Amino acid sequence: MLPPPNPERNVYFGAVHVHTSYSFDAFTNGTKTTPADAYAWAQGKAITSSGTGPELKIVTPLDFYAVADHAEYMGVFNQMANPDSPLSKLPLAKRVTSTDGNTAMQAFGEVLRDVSAGKRDPALSDPAISRSVWAEIVKAADANYQPGKFTTFAAFEWTSNPDKRNLHRVVVFRDTAKLPDLVMSSFDSDKPEDLWKWMDLQRSKGSTLLAIPHNGNASDGRMFELVKADGKPIDAAYSRTRAMNEPLYEISQIKGTSETFPTLSPKDEFAGFEQWDYTLSADAERPTRHRGSFARQALLDGLSLQMQEKGNPFKYGFIGDTDTHNAAASNEEFNYTGKFVSENDAKLRLNGLKGQPPAQVQQIREFSSGGLAGVWAKENTREAIFDAMMRKETFGTSGPMIKVRFFGGWDFNAADVKRPDFVKAGYGRGVSMGSDLKSATGKAPSFIVTAIKDPRSGNLDRIQIIKGWVDAKGKQHEKIYDAVWSGDRKPGKDGMLPPVGNTVDIAKGDYTNSIGAPDLATVWTDPDFDPSVSAFYYSRVIEIPTPRWSTRDAARLGVPIPKGLPAAIQERAWTSPIWYRSGK
């Protein structure tokens, strides 16, 4: 029997971007895990390491999880290990199933290049296998769904990657009552507009689903470009369709964080966090454009398009996620097991496979630990969590289970955040993260923001409010406000808050929570509010410095930290924005 729903909503942590051996790239890199393994891991059980390193086990189990294997060649590569399958006789099969990790890795690189070039190998396309595997993925999701305790979803990844520019989307279904027998792949079309048409077709057949784009940082400006796939400018119809299909954006995962970039936000001292500055390939190619690749700029561009009466296609809420290719989300920095199988061995994730090109090794060193999705929902069920995603009452973290709440309104005051029923005040007199502020009252908007640290991670340094707006002349602006912070620090003459300090012991790969605060809360009122200007606001919670996974590995192995990697990072959480629209 389900516990009664909580009208003030509970926080649930999870991931919906998880790959197993049914993804061509995961299998090629040695993964032997299945969807059943993935769900076991998320619930705290030890699973196979696929032959490299120790068993995989999360320390703090998750509340929800979804396997989202690639639609492209779904389950087909596994048959290369089946001697009774014709696929095992292909020349590629010998390399894919090689016991030499680097041989398999380079085979993966070649397949990815072909996928990026739109080359579909007919010998590798077997819809019958993909249908069967998709049915198995759904069956595993249903078998592990425990309403009230642990939620699973049917999901897949549409892997559009034209010319190595990442346009990937994870597609999540609300339930499994009405599902297609085969999902759409980028071989059917690599245009997002066609994916949205396919999603609409599924709705006409009874499905409820959403898509979540990710890794704009690897798109070279394509993820949030201001033109449609045909090169024509975005119009209102495009904006409506994109916003309806894509309520959320995955802001942080193993392949880096795509909130913003230092050259886009030069006044943001925290903009350089965990940047994985590559296009999506195994070739270590750098993007040439950052505009169009990051979420904050997209939010600003959305406001600009709205001013031009073209709608707002980029009105995204945020989640974090993983993109593990080994069933285990690996969101715990102290328990990092990498993206691919070989990275479950600390020596291999720091030094690479024997014979692997140095540039590829560096790409892997620059992987982050997995991010995490936070959802505020009335109960732990498919319906409640999916609906929270649709209304964007979500937040993303870089991995820790930081609990953050964010409400916007017109009459919050300092006493509100001290009330034990501040959540009731938040919903009753304001709106939650992911919403629009109601009509202006002549006052400046105020925001209740609270955050509680993850018991297994660092204390909190500060909470910031990120504001973006477009002035009457069409010029875009952003500003970062320190809303509340730990300790008795005071901003300097330049308005900057001094650093919180750093307790990281590089030699030991450890730190202490002797600085920072276990929780922070405040009511913040916009000091620069102009009622004639539309704006967005989101909060960013920053932890104290803690050792990066690579620092912990180096300490355990007794070796120097490889060049080009930070010794410490400041993990964080990002809430979905709250929007204010002038003239409403």
Side-chain angles (χ1 to χ4, degrees):
M1 184 175 177
L2 281 173
N6 177 7
E8 295 184 358
R9 292 162 190 163
N10 305 310
V11 66
Y12 298 109
F13 288 103
V16 296
H17 187 177
V18 175
H19 296 273
T20 72
S21 64
Y22 295 146
S23 288
F24 73 93
D25 46 357
F27 181 79
T28 303
N29 281 294
T31 300
K32 296 181 172 60
T33 52
T34 65
D37 291 324
Y39 292 124
W41 180 88
Q43 295 177 79
K45 300 173 185 175
I47 65 170
T48 178
S49 66
S50 301
T52 303
E55 286 188 318
L56 308 175
K57 188 175 187 301
I58 192 171
V59 174
T60 305
L62 302 178
D63 301 305
F64 64 93
Y65 215 54
V67 169
D69 278 311
H70 293 296
E72 297 71 22
Y73 303 136
M74 182 179 279
V76 171
F77 274 48
N78 304 61
Q79 292 302 309
M80 293 183 185
N82 176 5
D84 296 328
S85 169
L87 288 159
S88 68
K89 308 299 188 294
L90 296 173
L92 179 63
K94 188 175 182 180
R95 298 170 63 204
V96 166
T97 59
S98 173
T99 55
D100 179 78
N102 187 47
T103 297
M105 170 64 84
Q106 302 318 315
F108 150 68
E110 288 182 19
V111 174
L112 181 58
R113 286 184 204 105
D114 285 346
V115 170
S116 302
K119 297 179 182 176
R120 181 178 193 167
D121 187 340
L124 301 177
S125 299
D126 190 329
I129 291 176
S130 294
R131 281 192 182 90
S132 172
V133 168
W134 170 241
E136 187 176 334
I137 290 170
V138 174
K139 184 178 179 181
D142 283 341
N144 286 277
Y145 179 37
Q146 304 172 62
K149 294 182 179 178
F150 182 70
T151 289
T152 62
F153 294 99
F156 70 96
E157 182 170 354
W158 176 76
T159 321
S160 173
N161 203 45
D163 299 323
K164 305 177 186 177
R165 272 60 179 168
N166 182 94
L167 299 179
H168 299 190
R169 268 83 169 168
V170 170
V171 178
V172 181
F173 293 86
R174 188 174 188 260
D175 57 52
T176 58
K178 298 283 186 182
L179 295 179
D181 65 351
L182 187 64
V183 294
M184 179 177 172
S185 84
S186 62
F187 294 135
D188 301 313
S189 172
D190 63 1
K191 298 177 176 59
E193 289 95 323
D194 289 333
L195 173 66
W196 303 333
K197 288 178 183 174
W198 181 87
M199 292 173 66
D200 216 28
L201 176 64
Q202 304 316 309
R203 291 188 185 98
S204 72
K205 296 178 179 179
S207 295
T208 302
L209 66 172
L210 58 82
I212 307 172
H214 63 87
N215 281 121
N217 56 303
S219 75
D220 196 23
R222 293 290 313 276
M223 180 60 78
F224 304 114
E225 59 190 354
L226 302 181
V227 295
K228 299 184 284 188
D230 61 7
K232 296 179 180 177
I234 286 175
D235 54 28
Y238 173 96
S239 294
R240 281 194 302 274
T241 302
R242 183 163 181 161
M244 179 186 73
N245 285 288
E246 301 182 354
L248 300 178
Y249 178 68
E250 184 186 304
I251 197 168
S252 184
Q253 62 130 278
I254 287 177
K255 292 197 303 291
T257 291
S258 45
E259 178 197 10
T260 191
F261 194 77
T263 55
L264 296 173
S265 301
K267 294 183 179 179
D268 184 349
E269 63 185 303
F270 296 104
F273 177 73
E274 290 295 281
Q275 297 290 344
W276 194 79
D277 195 28
Y278 299 98
T279 59
L280 190 64
S281 73
D283 301 325
E285 294 177 358
R286 300 289 187 185
T288 59
R289 296 174 296 175
H290 292 108
R291 187 171 182 131
S293 300
F294 289 85
R296 191 186 300 168
Q297 181 61 54
L299 294 175
L300 285 165
D301 287 339
L303 293 181
S304 294
L305 289 165
Q306 184 177 275
M307 284 182 65
Q308 300 164 28
E309 302 297 331
K310 295 180 179 179
N312 185 348
F314 307 132
K315 204 171 178 181
Y316 283 108
F318 296 147
I319 63 166
D321 219 300
T322 168
D323 201 12
T324 174
H325 279 56
N326 198 18
S330 201
N331 59 291
E332 295 167 329
E333 196 83 28
F334 60 86
N335 187 28
Y336 181 65
T337 51
K339 176 176 179 174
F340 291 119
V341 163
S342 64
E343 297 159 47
N344 193 32
D345 181 319
K347 291 180 182 176
L348 295 181
R349 61 179 173 251
L350 271 193
N351 302 318
L353 298 158
K354 185 178 180 181
Q356 192 172 14
Q360 278 185 6
V361 176
Q362 188 63 21
Q363 282 184 288
I364 291 170
R365 288 171 176 163
E366 294 179 19
F367 281 163
S368 304
S369 62
L372 204 57
V375 172
W376 289 101
K378 291 183 178 179
E379 58 186 357
N380 189 354
T381 62
R382 284 176 171 169
E383 295 78 9
I385 291 177
F386 185 94
D387 292 351
M389 290 180 177
M390 285 300 297
R391 67 173 181 270
K392 308 169 193 172
E393 196 168 356
T394 61
F395 57 96
T397 87
S398 57
M401 292 182 174
I402 301 169
K403 298 177 182 176
V404 55
R405 301 207 82 148
F406 188 49
F407 295 98
W410 298 102
D411 67 347
F412 295 138
N413 55 60
D416 283 320
V417 79
K418 298 176 182 176
R419 294 170 45 174
D421 64 343
F422 80 90
V423 173
K424 184 176 292 184
Y427 285 120
R429 290 160 40 212
V431 298
S432 62
M433 60 181 81
S435 303
D436 291 343
L437 282 169
K438 297 173 183 174
S439 300
T441 61
K443 298 180 180 178
S446 50
F447 300 84
I448 297 175
V449 58
T450 69
I452 302 172
K453 63 161 286 186
D454 180 339
R456 299 185 187 279
S457 191
N459 277 345
L460 305 181
D461 169 3
R462 68 187 76 184
I463 300 177
Q464 300 178 309
I465 304 295
I466 316 296
K467 178 184 176 183
W469 72 98
V470 181
D471 66 25
K473 296 182 179 178
K475 185 178 180 181
Q476 298 177 344
H477 304 266
E478 65 174 51
K479 190 169 182 178
I480 295 95
Y481 301 87
D482 290 312
V484 60
W485 52 89
S486 63
D488 57 0
R489 292 172 285 166
K490 295 180 180 178
K493 293 181 179 178
D494 59 357
M496 301 294 288
L497 189 67
V500 68
N502 190 341
T503 67
V504 171
D505 185 328
I506 294 174
K508 295 180 178 177
D510 205 354
Y511 71 102
T512 67
N513 270 325
S514 56
I515 57 174
D519 55 79
L520 293 169
T522 194
V523 171
W524 179 85
T525 300
D526 183 357
D528 305 308
F529 181 63
D530 179 346
S532 69
V533 174
S534 297
F536 64 79
Y537 304 83
Y538 66 90
S539 59
R540 184 170 66 182
V541 184
I542 307 285
E543 283 190 359
I544 65 169
T546 54
R548 193 176 189 269
W549 66 263
S550 41
T551 302
R552 298 171 192 265
D553 279 354
R556 279 192 286 264
L557 297 171
V559 300
I561 300 169
K563 292 181 179 178
L565 302 179
I569 57 174
Q570 288 187 265
E571 305 254 33
R572 59 200 63 193
W574 305 261
T575 69
S576 291
I578 292 174
W579 287 266
Y580 164 71
R581 185 170 184 179
S582 64
K584 290 184 70 177

